[in-house]
Amino acid sequence: MYGDFASVYDRLMGEVDYPAWAAHYQGLMAARGVPPGARVLEAACGTGSLSIPLAGHYQLLPGDISQEMLSRAALKARDLGLQLPFVSQDMRSLSAHRPVEAVVCGCDGVNYLLTKTDLRRFLKSAYGVLAPGGVIAFDLSSFYKLSQTLANNTLGLQEGDIRYLWQNAWQPRSRLLSLQLSIFVRQPEGLWRLIEENQTQRAWQQEEITQALAATGFEHIACYGGLSLKKPAPKDQRLHFAAQKPH
């Protein structure tokens, strides 16, 4: 996953307001006592679009399992004069040289955990790297979004020198959404390059995530709808979770 796709990922995500997303995470963490300048480990950082605004407020330790995504992220950070320690790291087995004050995972990272075992491994490893009183904060695409909004739909985009066809297949019994992307990028000589990407996401229920956090040992567990501090509405597309390791 995310091989050649890394080269066009930022183009496809161009309308996302990452500074607002990062500001929401700042608020979630500040409300639980994480101060500016704290050590924050970011799991599944992708191309670093969320990392860059977060790095202006924390000692950020970003990581991802995809070398291609990390290469893009490091290049973007260097272009902005940032020295960020991007590391190759599976979100199911997080590690840090010393405990951190927070763990953040944005942009659907948890949706790519396809089994309860994978979810438990992520939460357990996050718990392990957190200092006492440390905070975990992450978001995911809601069950409603995957099962109803994306579902079995086909989406298309035409923008300048890029075209894509996005076909989805929803599997209600397993609650998995298969995403098949065919992306065409016009090359300088006029030919079109095809990039094919297949991904799978898991639709997690709010209660499943809350119960898994509690079973891991986290407390003060909260869930919010969208970029708000309100309880999720039935048709919210994105959920944010925050919880704390006991002191």
Side-chain angles (χ1 to χ4, degrees), residues 21 24-25 28-29 41 43-44 50 91 103-111 113 119 122-123 126 135-141 204-206 208-214 218 221-224 226 238-244:
W21 209 337
H24 185 60
Y25 273 117
L28 292 179
M29 291 188 285
L41 188 155
L50 189 62
M91 64 185 292
V103 171
V104 169
C105 182
C107 313
D108 290 356
V110 173
N111 289 110
L113 301 172
L119 177 63
F122 163 60
L123 296 177
V135 172
I136 184 171
F138 57 89
D139 65 75
L140 50 80
S141 287
W204 292 100
Q205 296 278 14
Q206 178 183 339
E208 289 181 294
I209 300 295
T210 300
Q211 290 170 8
L213 283 163
F218 286 103
I221 300 166
C223 179
Y224 308 103
R238 184 165 300 281
L239 305 182
H240 276 80
F241 290 86
Q244 199 158 13

Side-chain angles (χ1 to χ4, degrees), residues 5-190:
F5 185 53
S7 65
V8 296
Y9 179 82
D10 287 331
R11 289 279 304 276
L12 301 180
M13 300 289 284
E15 295 184 359
V16 176
D17 190 346
Y18 286 106
W21 209 337
H24 185 60
Y25 273 117
Q26 288 174 247
L28 292 179
M29 291 188 285
R32 289 161 177 78
V34 179
R39 284 169 51 84
V40 175
L41 188 155
E42 183 190 5
C45 70
T47 62
S49 294
L50 189 62
S51 312
I52 289 169
L54 286 175
H57 303 274
Y58 305 106
Q59 299 179 56
L60 195 69
L61 308 171
D64 198 279
I65 198 171
S66 167
Q67 291 291 346
E68 292 84 359
M69 287 292 199
L70 289 173
S71 295
R72 290 276 167 181
L75 180 60
K76 285 162 59 176
R78 285 198 300 270
D79 286 345
L80 294 171
L82 297 174
Q83 298 294 326
L84 293 178
F86 291 101
V87 297
S88 177
Q89 187 162 227
D90 189 327
M91 64 185 292
R92 295 166 296 185
S93 53
L94 302 174
S95 63
H97 293 304
R98 57 189 176 90
V100 299
E101 283 71 54
V103 171
V104 169
C105 182
C107 313
D108 290 356
V110 173
N111 289 110
Y112 289 101
L113 301 172
L114 304 185
T115 68
K116 290 183 178 180
T117 297
D118 285 339
L119 177 63
R120 285 195 298 267
R121 288 179 61 193
F122 163 60
L123 296 177
K124 184 177 179 180
S125 67
Y127 192 94
V129 299
L130 284 169
V135 172
I136 184 171
F138 57 89
D139 65 75
L140 50 80
S141 287
S142 67
F143 189 96
Y144 179 85
K145 178 181 177 180
L146 268 62
S147 65
Q148 302 296 321
T149 303
L150 297 179
N152 293 304
N153 293 324
T154 298
L155 309 172
L157 171 72
Q158 178 177 328
E159 179 186 333
D161 60 354
I162 191 169
R163 313 279 193 276
Y164 82 72
L165 183 67
W166 177 357
Q167 297 174 291
N168 299 324
W170 170 246
Q171 304 166 45
R173 294 189 63 182
S174 63
R175 292 185 290 159
L176 297 179
L177 180 70
S178 299
L179 307 94
Q180 180 179 356
L181 294 94
S182 299
I183 304 164
F184 300 86
V185 183
R186 189 192 295 273
Q187 303 301 294
E189 64 274 17

